[in-house]
Amino acid sequence: MIQIFVTGGTFDKEYDFVTGRLFFRDSSLPKMLEVGRSTLDVSIRTLMMVDSLDITPQDRENIAHNCRSTDTDQILITHGTDTMTETAEHLAKADIRGKTIVITGAMIPYAFGSSSDGFFNLGSALAFVQALPPGVYIVMNGRYFTWDGVRKNRATGFFEAV
Amino acid sequence: MIQIFVTGGTFDKEYDFVTGRLFFRDSSLPKMLEVGRSTLDVSIRTLMMVDSLDITPQDRENIAHNCRSTDTDQILITHGTDTMTETAEHLAKADIRGKTIVITGAMIPYAFGSSSDGFFNLGSALAFVQALPPGVYIVMNGRYFTWDGVRKNRATGFFEAV
Amino acid sequence: MIQIFVTGGTFDKEYDFVTGRLFFRDSSLPKMLEVGRSTLDVSIRTLMMVDSLDITPQDRENIAHNCRSTDTDQILITHGTDTMTETAEHLAKADIRGKTIVITGAMIPYAFGSSSDGFFNLGSALAFVQALPPGVYIVMNGRYFTWDGVRKNRATGFFEAV
Amino acid sequence: MIQIFVTGGTFDKEYDFVTGRLFFRDSSLPKMLEVGRSTLDVSIRTLMMVDSLDITPQDRENIAHNCRSTDTDQILITHGTDTMTETAEHLAKADIRGKTIVITGAMIPYAFGSSSDGFFNLGSALAFVQALPPGVYIVMNGRYFTWDGVRKNRATGFFEAV
């Protein structure tokens, strides 16, 4: 079984046509798994629905706590891209043993249709979480990066190995 | 480097509004990799553009030949779902050594927009081809199957372990 | 009030991923009116769900009968493009008085996403049915044509004035 | 010939994945007319690309000047919804004679895919500009409103007759 923890991020943002702003409502994950025709045994739990710039150290400890306490050893976390590496580092140092933790997100909300990278990222993250050895990884741009081997290039929006 | 071989299938079908039939034109793969914001080193080569019910033994040998002769040991093949397992078996018995070969496709054409599983499947196939040991696999429904451990349920359109 | 009669056609076709063929299920019209944020007073009735090549003279008389018996004088008919002009001619000669009847359709199913002309056609057909004087019209390609002043160019899929 | 003036608004906003904000680039109108398979004789001119809250009295006089000086008597203006009625009033009082001026927009950007009302609104606006007598109108929600008979309900995002 794969445990999916939802934390928000661009991945799950929607457009509020009254205010003209992006906001969070429900996660698109159940619908995405249906459209992807996934037959994986998956459990989805929303831990928070926030922009990753607003994630606090306490939120990160909350995520770590949930990673520790879940029974499964395959964990996928959806997360805003801006502080994805901070959360990855926190989890890597959080004494979680024998689990493959993959963090992914999107640069364009899934709700924005055919221009979004979210559906592609979800496909690759679900695959990597099944195939990679225990550890903490970021999955973006079709690739996986170890938690300490990646940074987001904020000018281009691409993740780069360091 | 990942070698992608395109063979057609529903994945790449388009709708011909003059005849009302599905047909093949160019592969959507370059656009999909762009939308997916992939930074993988990928080479795309179209071997054929056919419905997989029309793939002949000679076509399969052609695919096998291309798998053998490509320099890379990570190969992704897009393929119609109806005879995906036949091609997988052919490749598994074709004396191709030390290469990870992943075959994927779609139940709904990528060109049909947000109802298609193709973009999700591409994401997971690209991930599995990087992470799985040498062998021949089918990637559908978020999962990977070994070539001799899967069949397509033609009534439901889902792939099942056997 | 605007009466909408659904007869099928490419407009409402969907893709059956098990058989690989196009088929009819429910009309997309209610969803389209919702996405279009329509506040029009509309009544939708499905008369048939067929390819317009399969529409019989009796079907056309059925459509005419419904146009006659509905209380409203604004009628929009969704219809396959292949025999749209035949149905228009039938209605024009069917002794229906004082009503504006607009027939529209699509070259690409609405279900196929952002490549479809259906949503645009629905918007223009709803506008023309409110603004044109009584008569029978075909609305395609952003334009309206009188029933006896139009033909479908089967090579290009565009409607042309004659 | 139909003259289309582009002024910006939600209709043409896009999502900037680097900053996470909406912005203006090129208008989607040419692509929309292509997907809509329009065969109308249309001229598109971008007058400005702004949020309608930022439109100044001078901008409105600029729009009015362009409406006066264009040769055609069918004018469609794309415009943000927030101050659509102010621009409509300005044009109605700007001594433009014998022209049908239709103002439309969208509550959700066309670039956001299948959730947008923009494509539907464009279809209905193009129809109304061909069919309505001279005057200044707002076209939203499948309906047309005279310039002095409409307001936007800012809580719901719908236009209402007053």
Side-chain angles (χ1 to χ4, degrees), chain A residues 4-159:
Chain A
I4 301 182
F5 291 131
V6 172
T7 73
T10 296
F11 191 89
D12 264 332
K13 279 184 181 166
E14 299 184 40
Y15 180 73
D16 182 339
F17 57 77
V18 170
T19 63
R21 297 192 181 170
L22 303 184
F23 75 117
F24 293 106
R25 202 159 37 177
D26 299 324
S27 173
S28 298
L29 266 167
K31 193 195 167 188
M32 294 170 81
L33 292 170
E34 184 190 340
V35 174
R37 302 177 56 75
S38 168
T39 52
L40 292 166
D41 184 13
V42 162
S43 169
I44 302 174
R45 184 165 169 205
T46 299
L47 300 184
M48 59 201 78
M49 267 297 209
V50 296
D51 191 302
S52 79
L53 292 172
D54 298 329
I55 290 189
T56 64
Q58 195 166 335
D59 290 330
R60 294 206 163 87
E61 186 42 42
N62 179 21
I63 299 171
H65 171 73
N66 276 280
C67 289
R68 258 184 241 108
S69 57
T70 184
D71 283 339
T72 179
D73 55 5
Q74 298 181 339
I75 300 171
L76 187 160
I77 301 170
T78 62
H79 195 287
T81 58
D82 281 326
T83 68
M84 202 176 256
T85 53
E86 283 90 321
T87 297
E89 180 176 0
H90 187 99
L91 296 179
K93 297 178 175 173
D95 195 33
I96 306 164
R97 311 222 168 161
K99 303 197 176 187
T100 301
I101 301 175
V102 160
I103 311 178
T104 194
M107 289 302 289
I108 298 180
Y110 177 67
F112 290 5
S114 61
S115 62
S116 172
D117 54 335
F119 200 35
F120 176 85
N121 293 347
L122 178 62
S124 54
L126 280 171
F128 278 128
V129 82
Q130 295 173 75
L132 291 176
V136 178
Y137 307 90
I138 282 177
V139 170
M140 290 290 289
N141 308 128
R143 305 166 62 185
Y144 71 95
F145 304 89
T146 54
W147 67 271
D148 57 352
V150 60
R151 71 167 173 202
K152 179 183 173 185
N153 182 325
R154 286 172 195 259
T156 65
F158 288 102
F159 282 73

Side-chain angles (χ1 to χ4, degrees), chain D residues 19-84:
Chain D
T19 63
R21 297 193 181 172
L22 303 184
F23 76 116
F24 294 106
R25 202 159 35 178
D26 299 324
S27 173
S28 298
L29 267 166
K31 194 195 166 189
M32 294 169 81
L33 292 171
E34 184 189 340
V35 174
R37 303 176 57 73
S38 168
T39 52
L40 293 167
D41 185 13
V42 163
S43 170
I44 302 174
R45 186 167 168 203
T46 298
L47 300 185
M48 58 201 79
M49 266 299 208
V50 295
D51 192 302
S52 79
L53 292 171
D54 298 329
I55 291 190
T56 64
Q58 197 167 335
D59 289 330
R60 294 205 164 89
E61 186 42 41
N62 179 20
I63 298 171
H65 171 73
N66 275 279
C67 290
R68 259 184 240 108
S69 57
T70 184
D71 282 339
T72 180
D73 54 5
Q74 298 181 338
I75 300 171
L76 189 162
I77 301 170
T78 62
H79 194 288
T81 58
D82 281 327
T83 68
M84 203 175 256

Side-chain angles (χ1 to χ4, degrees), chain D residues 4-162:
Chain D
I4 301 182
F5 291 130
V6 173
T7 74
T10 297
F11 191 89
D12 263 332
K13 279 183 180 165
E14 299 185 39
Y15 181 72
D16 181 339
F17 57 78
V18 171
T19 63
R21 297 193 181 172
L22 303 184
F23 76 116
F24 294 106
R25 202 159 35 178
D26 299 324
S27 173
S28 298
L29 267 166
K31 194 195 166 189
M32 294 169 81
L33 292 171
E34 184 189 340
V35 174
R37 303 176 57 73
S38 168
T39 52
L40 293 167
D41 185 13
V42 163
S43 170
I44 302 174
R45 186 167 168 203
T46 298
L47 300 185
M48 58 201 79
M49 266 299 208
V50 295
D51 192 302
S52 79
L53 292 171
D54 298 329
I55 291 190
T56 64
Q58 197 167 335
D59 289 330
R60 294 205 164 89
E61 186 42 41
N62 179 20
I63 298 171
H65 171 73
N66 275 279
C67 290
R68 259 184 240 108
S69 57
T70 184
D71 282 339
T72 180
D73 54 5
Q74 298 181 338
I75 300 171
L76 189 162
I77 301 170
T78 62
H79 194 288
T81 58
D82 281 327
T83 68
M84 203 175 256
T85 53
E86 282 91 319
T87 298
E89 180 175 2
H90 186 100
L91 296 179
K93 298 177 175 173
D95 195 31
I96 305 165
R97 312 225 166 158
K99 303 197 175 186
T100 301
I101 301 176
V102 159
I103 311 178
T104 195
M107 289 302 290
I108 299 180
Y110 177 68
F112 290 6
S114 61
S115 63
S116 172
D117 54 335
F119 200 34
F120 176 84
N121 293 347
L122 178 62
S124 54
L126 280 171
F128 278 127
V129 81
Q130 295 173 74
L132 291 176
V136 178
Y137 307 90
I138 282 177
V139 170
M140 290 292 289
N141 308 129
R143 304 166 64 186
Y144 71 95
F145 304 90
T146 53
W147 67 271
D148 56 352
V150 61
R151 68 168 175 204
K152 179 182 174 185
N153 182 325
R154 284 169 198 263
T156 64
F158 288 101
F159 282 73
E160 303 168 342
V162 290

